[in-house]
Amino acid sequence: MAVDPWFVIFKKINTVENIDVKGIVVEHSLYNELETFKMLNFDLEQGVASESVVDIAKKKLTFYFDEVSAKCSGNEITEDFLLCANDILGGYFSYYYSTELSNNIYKQISDCDTNSYLIYDVANLLGYSVSVMYTPGHSLITWVDSNGERKYLETTASNNHGSVADIRRDVYIKSKLGRYYHPFSGGDILDVYKSLILIKAKDKSYISKIYDDKPYLNVDAEYFYYIKNSSGLTYSIVNIMNELHEQQLATKYIKLTLAEWYYNKGNVEKAYSYVGDIKLNNCYSTCAEISSYIGYSRLTPKVWWFFSYSDLGDLYDINISLLDFYAAWLMLFLMVVFFMKKLLLNIYIR
């Protein structure tokens, strides 16, 4: 889930070529074991997308894989192949913040996650060894070059055409959570995807198995979300969340859930301490609502509600830097001034 305020404000959509699915035959025997096809089937199973949408998405994926195979597979160096595959991707998929793979492929839009899934699958399909790496609110492609150096591909750079990344930059937020800054492949990528679309899934109970079987994926927030909205929180679950907070491993959603819990139990001071632990520029819709509910006074950036983050920003721990936060507000202000000037000019001319 890439968070780039310049994209968010302008909804910057590059002009892409439409993929005509007529005549495209999906080789299910070849592609069904790919993580992207498993994700599409999961979307269908969970009611995230219709059968017709998934069918078209599979054809568009097939087209992309064939294009990359024809134009990029001759590259002996992994980096050259990845840049080639990413460049082709940018020609057919516009950058747009999104979650579910099926609808993204169908509409030919993508963000960091969708890009990473596509490039991961086509690379490994054609014999290149790459992995997906997650950072808070973001994902990249990573691989080890012939010199033994680990390298990274920022798939959303250059208007979705990609470039080699320097993860030392501040835009890549650091975190102690085990999911972040480690290479993942295969079923782990699929399970992370399942956690990311939890809100939209018809049957959310699957998150319990991921939580139990793969603690290193850190789907704690998603699991607690499921528990809270199904059977309800218990003291034992709250104790687990408190332990994560004490270890500085609690996500925003966990802090907000604890704040609401303790406020309802009458411990207002403790509730305030959890909300106060969340920086202003990282407080989105749910954070704003809970802050207001418990009476914690803060200036909340409600403008971000308009930019489609809402509950996703808090549940999935999306973050932006202070510089990006204030830059986004400045750009919004300039946009308002520009449109007001244009409106007044039109009125004057009339």
Side-chain angles (χ1 to χ4, degrees), residues 23 31 80 86 107 210-211 243 257 304 319 327 331:
Y31 294 143
D80 293 340
N86 208 150
K107 298 175 184 176
I210 301 174
Y211 175 79
E243 288 175 9
T257 302
W304 289 105
N319 294 275
M331 294 305 298

Side-chain angles (χ1 to χ4, degrees), residues 19-27 31 55-56 58-60 62-63 66:
I19 299 174
D20 185 358
V21 298
K22 293 178 182 177
I24 296 179
V25 178
V26 179
E27 295 185 54
Y31 294 143
D55 180 60
I56 291 174
K58 287 181 177 179
K59 290 180 179 180
K60 291 189 174 185
T62 297
F63 174 86
D66 289 346

Side-chain angles (χ1 to χ4, degrees), residues 312-336:
L312 294 176
D314 291 318
L315 175 57
Y316 297 127
D317 222 29
I318 294 175
N319 294 275
I320 58 172
S321 68
L322 279 171
L323 177 61
D324 287 340
F325 171 68
Y326 290 118
W329 273 96
L330 175 61
M331 294 305 298
L332 179 64
F333 172 75
L334 293 175
M335 288 173 62
V336 171

Side-chain angles (χ1 to χ4, degrees), residues 267-287:
N267 195 335
V268 178
E269 184 178 351
K270 195 161 187 176
Y272 282 5
S273 70
Y274 290 115
V275 175
D277 199 28
I278 301 171
K279 294 180 180 179
L280 175 62
N281 55 302
N282 294 329
C283 186
Y284 300 95
S285 176
T286 303
C287 177

